[in-house]
Structures are given as C-alpha cells and as structure tokens.
Amino acid sequence: MPGYILFEDDSHFALRPFTFTRPVFHLRSGILTIIEKWKYALEQSVYALPMAHLKEIFQNLPQDDGDQLWVNGKICPDSELIAALEELPPNTYMANLEGEIVMARFPIKSLPHDFRGCLSEAILEEIGLHKQLYTADFLAIRFMPDIFRKNHELIIRDFALISQKENSVKLTDPYTRVYGKDNLFISEGAQIRSAIINAENGPVYIGKNAIISEGSIILNTHAICAHSKVQPGAKLRGDTTIGPKSKIGGEVGNSVIMGNSNKGHEGYLGNSVLGYWCNLGADTNTSNLKNNYANVKIWHYPSERFRDTGQQFCGLMMGDHSKAGINTMFNTGTVVGVSANIYGSGFPRVFIPSFSWGGASGFKTYRINKAFETMERVMPRKNSQLTEEDKRLFQHIFEETASYRVWDRKIEA
C-alpha cells in the first residue's frame, strides 16, 4: 500500500515569511493545518518532504522502496482529488494547465541525490515520469493573502470533516446567547460564559479546552482552536481563526492567527495573518484599506519587490516570533519577517525584514543571541521549549535574510 507524501513547490517562496520557519503544509487556514486536513480526509498517516532548510525538524518519510503517492502540499483535499490520486498509475504525475504539479506516483529512491525539496516538472520528467493533465478545480494556498481570503471556505470544509468524526458537547451556560445552534460545534472541556455567538451565516468551531470569556461577541464563521482564549468583551467578526494556545481580544475580522500568539488587548486586526509566537501590544492597530480604495500591494519575496495582491483589503502579515509594542500602528499591507521587534510612534515601513529592531524612526539588527534569550523566556509560558534544531533553523534564517537589513550594509560601508 503506497504512503501519502506532501511535497513543496516554488509557492513556498511566495508564502514567506511564514515558510521561513515551516513547510507550506504546516500553515493553518480554516480550523486545521493543510497536513491535518489530509490526515482527517484520508484517515491515515501522511508523510512530509519539506524544503532542505526545514528537513531536520519537519521531514518524515516512509521506510519503503515501493511507489508513494505524492501530493502538492499547498493543495487542500477534496473527494475528486483523492479519487484521482488513488487511481494514478505508477511513474505518472498530474499537472494543471498552469503547469502546477498536483500529484504524482513514484518511489522515493527515484529522486536525484542532490534534491533540495522543491519539486518541479523538470525534475519529474528527468526521472522519467509520464504527464497527465488535471483539469478539475482545487483550493490551494499560493500567496500570503490566500491564507485569510480562503479562510471562510476552509473553516466550512474543516467543520464538516471534524463534525463527521467527532461529537459536539452541549452548551451548559444559561447566559450565553446562540443564534444558529446547528452551526455551533463545542469540543470537550471548552468553557463559554455570557457570550453572544451568531452562527446563522456560517459555522463556529470551539476547540478542546478553549475559553470564551464574558461579554465576548462572535459573529459568523469562526474557528477558536484548542486551548485558546477569547478575552472579555472581544468583538470577533467573521472568517477568523484563532490558532491553538492563542489569546485574542479587541476587534478582529477575517484574520488567521496560526498558534501560540497573543493579541490580548484592545485594537483592530483585520485581513491579517500572524504566525506562531507573535505578540501585539495593547492598542496595536492594523490598517486593512487604503484611503484611495486601491488594491493593496505587499512585499513579494520571490521577485524582491512589491506585488499587487488583487485585494482591496489586506492588513498585516507577521512571521513567527515577531512582536509589536503598545500603540503600534501598521500601515495597509505591512509584511514583517521572523523575530522582529517593532515599537514607537508613527507608521513603520511596510516591509520589515527578519531580525529587525525599531520602528518609524529607524531600525537596527536584532542580534541572534538576544533573539534566542527572548524565545527561551517566552516559549515555556505555553509549555514549549526552544530546541537546538530550532536554533540552527533561526541561525539559517538570520543569515539568509541579512541582505534585507540594509542598515547593516551602511554601517559596513
């Protein structure tokens, strides 16, 4: 029986800074990460082939010399995809009209010895695979705004997957008002107190041991994941995901918090994505709409320039372990890299490289040893630890992103 392996293609680079620290298929949109969606859909283990710099932490391959079924890790499962995958002949791959590899079937040993984790048509043709055309539509995460833009549909899909396999517990709090009770799923151990939940226009999922505090308002499609907390008086507008072990307060709309991150105070977060281990200080606000109502452009790592998102609404994209001080103001379409610290008055620049320290008045480099000290203080607060493997990954990111920290080049000159 072939195993199922998720791989990466060049969309990995368009999803940075989130994919600096994890593979595409470990990104969350909807209730589940992409690899979790495949595990639920297939009801079996799913293996992983990430990019080379993520191999030490995330690679997990079967010990089998036979054929494996390969799936593009940016693609979310559906019944048509799974049926086509199971019927795929050996030594064959399928691509769509745009040339994106959708799936393949071949043994791991066929890959070149110098393979770096980014699968392409050229590599598959080099190892002798036959091509077939895949013409059906599928949902994929290709560019950063896709994470929040497709969140509504993915919450609905994930809600259906989970509710088919798990049972919702009853709401026991008499002071919580629910509209659309059939669209509410409550996991074991969740606590809800004096809240308003309106699920008439889409499902609301509340994960295991999540806390919905007094006075909070949850409108429309939402995913409140396991061990997360909605603060008293929070106003959550639709199509938002609060990842595991995260804390959310203030006003939030159409945003995705991957996990282990906090926006615990007042302030607005809209059409935004926060990675893991992020923190927004009190009264931090994001702009998600330009004053002239034009499409938002954001930093695009593959082209190293700003790219039109095609979206009128786009807020903050913040990579893992980045932080913002109190009263920070983020302009429309701001991209913040990994392990940056932003503070001070005024609007900082709209592209903030990894390991930056400062704000509108200027930046300096956040030295890697100081970043590690902060991580080692923060991570145990959520029962996690910074490992030696993590340190090697962040050292790699620090070196790879050095060219973006232009102030260091001025000092050297």
Side-chain angles (χ1 to χ4, degrees):
M1 179 75 178
Y4 294 85
I5 304 175
L6 299 187
F7 66 86
E8 301 198 75
D9 66 7
D10 58 8
S11 293
H12 171 96
F13 301 100
L15 287 160
R16 290 181 169 185
F18 304 114
T19 50
F20 275 130
T21 48
R22 64 197 65 250
V24 172
F25 43 81
H26 276 277
L27 299 182
R28 186 182 309 280
S29 185
I31 302 170
L32 307 167
T33 64
I34 295 177
I35 194 168
E36 288 170 345
K37 297 178 200 301
W38 280 99
K39 289 175 180 178
Y40 261 93
L42 296 170
E43 297 185 301
Q44 66 179 76
S45 297
V46 177
Y47 298 95
L49 181 65
M51 298 290 285
H53 75 285
L54 298 168
K55 178 178 177 180
E56 185 177 23
I57 298 175
F58 293 100
Q59 182 160 297
N60 173 28
L61 294 176
Q63 302 299 312
D64 186 345
D65 290 335
D67 275 351
Q68 306 296 333
L69 295 171
W70 303 75
V71 186
N72 195 319
K74 69 184 178 188
I75 297 175
C76 301
D78 60 53
S79 57
E80 194 167 358
L81 269 166
I82 293 170
L85 185 63
E86 292 174 346
E87 294 170 4
L88 194 64
N91 296 313
T92 304
Y93 76 97
M94 300 190 81
N96 63 8
L97 290 169
E98 288 73 38
E100 293 178 306
I101 305 166
V102 179
M103 62 185 74
R105 182 170 182 170
F106 64 92
I108 297 170
K109 63 184 179 181
S110 298
L111 286 172
H113 293 298
D114 59 350
F115 180 68
R116 304 294 295 168
C118 187
L119 212 55
S120 66
E121 281 202 271
I123 291 172
L124 295 181
E125 289 173 2
E126 178 186 329
I127 63 178
L129 267 61
H130 305 291
K131 180 178 179 178
Q132 292 184 1
L133 189 63
Y134 190 80
T135 56
D137 291 332
F138 55 83
L139 197 157
I141 304 297
R142 298 179 176 89
F143 189 30
M144 288 184 287
D146 289 346
I147 297 171
F148 69 78
R149 191 170 64 86
K150 299 181 179 182
N151 200 43
H152 172 83
E153 182 175 351
L154 286 172
I155 291 175
I156 292 172
R157 286 193 187 190
D158 291 350
F159 188 92
L161 274 176
I162 292 170
S163 59
Q164 287 170 9
K165 296 175 172 62
E166 300 177 15
N167 294 320
S168 175
V169 302
K170 289 185 178 180
L171 175 68
T172 57
D173 179 54
Y175 304 106
T176 292
R177 179 69 174 176
V178 177
Y179 302 88
K181 290 183 179 180
D182 291 342
N183 280 337
L184 176 63
F185 187 100
I186 305 172
S187 300
E188 183 181 356
Q191 300 177 35
I192 306 171
R193 298 285 186 272
S194 302
I196 298 173
I197 302 173
N198 186 340
E200 289 180 331
N201 297 319
V204 173
Y205 171 85
I206 300 174
K208 185 177 180 179
N209 296 326
I211 297 173
I212 312 298
S213 299
E214 294 84 350
S216 53
I217 302 171
I218 300 171
L219 303 178
N220 304 317
T221 308
H222 272 82
I224 315 295
C225 296
H227 304 281
S228 57
K229 182 179 182 181
V230 177
Q231 295 282 69
K235 299 174 286 294
L236 305 189
R237 297 199 260 124
D239 306 334
T240 289
T241 293
I242 312 302
K245 297 184 180 180
S246 295
K247 186 184 296 182
I248 202 75
E251 183 181 4
V252 184
N254 191 201
S255 296
V256 174
I257 292 88
M258 295 282 178
N260 295 332
S261 291
N262 293 336
K263 180 210 170 296
H265 304 281
E266 294 300 319
Y268 176 64
L269 183 72
N271 303 99
S272 297
V273 181
L274 304 184
Y276 288 81
W277 304 106
C278 297
N279 187 74
L280 301 185
D283 288 319
T284 292
N285 285 282
T286 62
S287 168
N288 63 340
L289 175 66
K290 299 183 71 167
N291 287 346
N292 62 1
Y293 287 65
N295 284 354
V296 180
K297 294 181 179 180
I298 64 173
W299 182 257
H300 181 243
Y301 278 91
S303 62
E304 297 196 332
R305 63 184 64 188
F306 289 91
R307 173 181 163 181
D308 190 339
T309 63
Q311 304 298 309
Q312 198 173 52
F313 292 91
C314 185
L316 169 68
M317 307 287 117
M318 177 177 274
D320 289 8
H321 286 280
S322 286
K323 315 281 192 292
I326 61 170
N327 296 311
T328 303
M329 299 186 296
F330 287 106
N331 223 324
T332 320
T334 296
V335 175
V336 178
V338 174
S339 192
N341 270 266
I342 304 104
Y343 59 88
S345 61
F347 287 98
R349 56 192 292 181
V350 292
F351 169 53
I352 300 173
S354 298
F355 298 95
S356 299
W357 182 286
S361 60
F363 284 92
K364 61 182 181 180
T365 295
Y366 189 14
R367 298 299 174 190
I368 190 77
N369 60 318
K370 295 296 183 182
F372 287 160
E373 288 177 8
T374 300
M375 293 176 193
E376 287 170 341
R377 294 189 192 105
V378 169
M379 294 177 73
R381 292 164 60 91
K382 296 182 187 287
N383 299 316
S384 188
Q385 298 291 330
L386 182 70
T387 66
E388 291 303 314
E389 292 84 0
D390 292 331
K391 288 183 178 181
R392 286 192 286 272
L393 172 59
F394 287 114
Q395 181 69 50
H396 170 86
I397 297 167
F398 182 82
E399 293 168 2
E400 186 177 359
T401 58
S403 62
Y404 299 112
R405 296 188 290 273
V406 293
W407 48 86
D408 279 348
R409 295 208 299 270
K410 290 176 183 177
I411 292 170
E412 290 170 5

